[in-house]
Amino acid sequence: MAEQVCAGNALWAEDVLGVLCDLVDKSLVLADAEVAGETRYRMLETIREYAIEQLDASGEEAEFRRLHQRHMIEVAAGPPGRSSVPPPEPGPRICRCWSC
């Protein structure tokens, strides 16, 4: 998921994992339990608040929220052809916490 949300502008998708590992090494991001074969990452609340402030100050917060929301809608919809139920409409109930 990190590649789909964070790649772009100055960061290539293939570099996202390395940057994420650097943040884990610096204790800015925590690696949690593995779910379905994928490691889950999270930030402490104070770090997350600071990161949001920095994104807002740079004018990039809305774009990252949009990218995260789009990705979470794709995840919720599942693989193509899996269900005849249409994906949910974007909204606060789908993506309440963009960096959880």
Side-chain angles (χ1 to χ4, degrees):
M1 172 169 60
E3 290 89 352
Q4 291 86 352
V5 175
C6 298
N9 292 343
L11 185 62
W12 295 95
E14 54 269 7
D15 295 332
V16 171
L17 184 58
V19 171
L20 187 56
C21 289
D22 289 344
L23 293 172
V24 169
D25 290 343
K26 295 174 184 172
S27 299
L28 294 172
V29 172
L30 303 174
D32 274 349
E34 198 169 288
V35 176
E38 293 187 8
T39 304
R40 301 285 306 233
Y41 297 92
R42 67 181 179 90
M43 287 186 262
L44 297 174
E45 187 65 24
T46 53
I47 301 293
R48 192 170 78 90
E49 289 172 0
Y50 177 77
I52 290 171
E53 288 174 10
Q54 296 303 302
L55 280 173
D56 185 44
S58 71
E60 295 180 289
E61 181 183 6
E63 177 65 9
F64 276 96
R65 285 185 184 272
R66 185 189 65 73
L67 290 169
H68 186 264
Q69 182 183 45
R70 183 181 70 198
H71 178 71
M72 294 311 297
I73 289 169
E74 290 171 2
V75 168
R82 186 188 84 176
S83 171
S84 61
V85 177
E89 291 297 316
R93 294 185 71 184
I94 296 298
C95 187
R96 281 194 335 227
C97 178
W98 71 279
S99 64
C100 294

